[in-house]
Amino acid sequence: QVCISFAKILLHVTRPRVALLGNLPGTTFYRNIEQYPAAAMIPGAVIVRVDSSIYFSISNYIKGRYININESHSAIHVMF
């Protein structure tokens, strides 16, 4: 039980959640597009939120996510 809990914590720390953000119409708020279907992405740009502190040990993971997001959305700008 303890080993499973430790593994889950380690996985969460080394693989933080990454959310794509979109603008809620009529507001200045940006929210996760998976949780808020009304949120619209900005044409030519992708706004990304990393739900964790960014530090050296996860930098390769974040870099990989950046490359995947940039390729899949063919955006001009990807903003973290």
Side-chain angles (χ1 to χ4, degrees), residues 21-23 30 39-47 73-79:
L21 303 181
N23 179 257
Y30 289 83
M41 294 181 69
I42 307 299
V46 177
I47 303 171
H73 288 88
S74 63
I76 298 169
H77 301 285
V78 177
M79 296 169 269

Side-chain angles (χ1 to χ4, degrees), residues 6 9 11 14 21 23 27 32 39 41 48-49 51-53 55 60 62-65 69-70 73 80:
F6 182 71
I9 290 170
L11 184 64
T14 59
L21 303 181
N23 179 257
T27 71
N32 185 339
M41 294 181 69
V48 180
R49 182 185 68 216
D51 292 340
S52 158
S53 298
Y55 48 92
N60 283 334
I62 300 298
K63 181 180 176 182
R65 291 295 306 216
I69 290 168
N70 197 26
H73 288 88
F80 276 86

Side-chain angles (χ1 to χ4, degrees), residues 27-44:
T27 71
T28 58
F29 298 119
Y30 289 83
R31 298 291 185 250
N32 185 339
I33 61 171
E34 291 181 7
Q35 294 177 342
Y36 293 84
M41 294 181 69
I42 307 299

